[in-house]
Amino acid sequence: MRPPTPLNPSSRRTPRGFSLLEALFAAVVLGISVMAVISAITTAQQISFDGQKRVLAAIAADDYMIELATIPYTLLPFHDNTFHAIGQMTTLDATPYPNAFWPLSRSVTVTNATVEDDVFLTTIYGLQVVVTCDDEFHEYARVEMFIPDPAQ
Amino acid sequence: MIHHKRTTNPSRRGLSVLELMIALAITSMVALTLATVLTAASRGMSDAASTRSALQRVHAAHVRIRAYTDAALNILEHDPNQGIALWLHDEKPGGRVNLTELRVFWFDYDNERITIERIVFPEAWTQEMKDAADAELPLGAGYFLTMAGQRALGYTETSTIATGCTPTDFIFNNPTIIESNRLTLSASFDNGRGAAEPMLLVFALPNHKQPS
């Protein structure tokens, strides 16, 4: 039978406080953790804000498209290159949008377009209307509609 | 005999007052920064949640109302205290508004909601009875009163299409309501925290036509 191993005196920890170096090291670790939390919160807020902008942009783009659908076909080309700068969006009747829409701008393009009808083998002439809603960096919403020429 | 000797080895002592104060100062600064950031983040999250809540209401109201206005033929009547009457379709051709072609958006300011009401005749009726009851309405008839009358007879159905919503202003693109094919509705939407978010809802009637 083996005799019990005596405790190694060098492995015994003597009670003592933290040194300054240890305290600083702990503060640095805490600081890094705080930075990580701040970064995560900022990212979450950015994503949340992005989602809100996306919803607002979809509403704003869709609104303008349905408004354009009410004006006569011959007047549509006059709305080509319409641009509402950031914070200056208005309805077709010049009613300004509320503050919630401030980060967004809106632009319209109207171009001649054709659509091939595979069933009747004909070409339909008309206008392609595109409404986009962006901020200064990204496009958040795009609505496209082909409006056939009623005179055709 | 054992002699206890007091040691002065630095590795066996606690923090000095100076070291303790430096450590406390650093910890306090970190804690203060953390508290400030978390407070700001919490407020930001709370604001974002409120805006999101209002936006969900806005989006739901927008989609539901547009499901009617995109297809509607005419805005027949408007009363800011009551609502808007729409001519939804001309199912019975002839260019006149029949009872079943009428829809009324009611603004319930007390409960902050918008409802839509339509006329539905009893299931037990034959098609002939329904056709006979589906009367043509004269142009400029009191559409709100007509709907109220049908409701009193038990011939209407009402659905809620927007909640937490209080209309504040209506702008038509023509001074004559039945000639208008665009409507801008300013409304405030409850953000779930008792505050209101002002919004703009744009509606248009691309199939606009006037009843005869």
Side-chain angles (χ1 to χ4, degrees):
Chain A
M1 193 173 176
R2 294 177 63 180
T5 313
L7 286 170
N8 182 1
S10 68
S11 70
R12 268 201 311 239
R13 294 178 66 92
T14 53
R16 63 175 181 87
F18 291 105
S19 70
L20 180 59
L21 188 65
E22 288 167 337
L24 284 172
F25 182 73
V28 168
V29 170
L30 189 61
I32 291 171
S33 310
V34 169
M35 291 304 289
V37 170
I38 292 170
S39 169
I41 289 171
T42 309
T43 306
Q45 282 182 329
Q46 186 60 44
I47 290 170
S48 172
F49 189 47
D50 238 39
Q52 287 174 17
K53 279 204 280 191
R54 211 168 283 280
V55 172
L56 290 168
I59 290 173
D62 220 20
D63 278 356
Y64 210 70
M65 184 60 90
I66 197 70
E67 285 192 292
L68 288 173
T70 63
I71 64 173
Y73 179 84
T74 49
L75 296 181
L76 276 174
F78 292 106
H79 290 269
D80 186 28
N81 290 326
T82 298
F83 178 69
H84 297 151
I86 285 177
Q88 292 175 14
M89 270 199 292
T90 62
T91 66
L92 202 57
D93 302 306
T95 305
Y97 273 78
N99 287 341
F101 291 84
W102 70 263
L104 299 167
S105 65
R106 189 167 56 186
S107 54
V108 181
T109 57
V110 182
T111 49
N112 288 315
T114 56
V115 169
E116 299 298 327
D117 186 331
D118 294 336
V119 178
F120 296 104
L121 301 175
T122 54
T123 301
I124 301 167
Y125 294 90
L127 293 169
Q128 182 75 10
V129 183
V130 180
V131 180
T132 59
C133 219
D134 326 64
D135 69 359
E136 49 194 337
F137 304 111
H138 301 108
E139 180 182 292
Y140 278 97
R142 167 181 283 258
V143 184
E144 298 188 23
M145 186 162 66
F146 175 77
I147 301 177
D149 184 349
Q152 203 175 15
Chain B
M1 193 172 178
I2 299 168
H3 292 279
H4 290 281
K5 190 178 175 184
R6 196 183 170 92
T7 176
T8 55
N9 182 352
S11 67
R12 294 175 67 90
R13 65 170 177 85
L15 294 173
S16 70
V17 174
L18 182 67
E19 289 168 342
L20 190 64
M21 285 181 73
I22 292 172
L24 275 174
I26 291 170
T27 310
S28 301
M29 281 193 291
V30 171
L32 194 67
T33 310
L34 187 63
T36 309
V37 167
L38 287 179
T39 307
S42 164
R43 196 178 300 126
M45 290 285 193
S46 172
D47 289 349
S50 300
T51 308
R52 198 162 48 244
S53 170
L55 267 184
Q56 283 168 352
R57 290 180 197 278
V58 171
H59 190 245
H62 189 250
V63 168
R64 289 174 189 167
I65 296 174
R66 273 198 50 180
Y68 293 93
T69 55
D70 281 9
L73 302 177
N74 200 282
I75 302 167
L76 298 167
E77 192 175 2
H78 164 242
D79 179 345
N81 295 316
Q82 296 194 75
I84 289 174
L86 282 185
W87 182 23
L88 188 64
H89 49 71
D90 196 13
E91 205 166 75
K92 283 191 165 180
R96 304 190 72 130
V97 183
N98 288 76
L99 280 172
T100 53
E101 296 166 3
L102 180 66
R103 298 290 183 278
V104 174
F105 289 108
W106 296 105
F107 304 139
D108 182 352
Y109 289 96
D110 292 336
N111 297 305
E112 294 185 346
R113 63 180 184 174
I114 299 176
T115 58
I116 188 157
E117 191 170 24
R118 67 189 184 113
I119 292 164
V120 181
F121 296 119
E123 282 288 321
W125 285 13
T126 62
Q127 191 57 45
E128 287 74 26
M129 290 166 77
K130 289 179 184 174
D131 288 343
D134 192 7
E136 281 183 358
L137 299 171
L139 188 60
Y143 299 102
F144 297 131
L145 283 173
T146 302
M147 190 58 83
Q150 294 294 313
R151 189 189 317 131
L153 296 169
Y155 298 158
T156 67
E157 275 185 6
T158 303
S159 319
T160 300
I161 54 170
T163 56
C165 168
T166 307
T168 52
D169 194 20
F170 304 85
I171 301 167
F172 295 89
N173 70 320
N174 194 300
T176 308
I177 298 294
I178 62 165
E179 289 178 17
S180 301
N181 60 359
R182 291 192 295 273
L183 159 65
T184 302
L185 167 63
S186 296
S188 60
F189 283 83
D190 181 13
N191 68 1
R193 291 172 187 271
E197 189 84 34
M199 290 299 293
L200 197 70
L201 301 177
V202 178
F203 304 106
L205 283 64
N207 304 314
H208 181 265
K209 76 172 189 180
Q210 291 190 38
S212 53

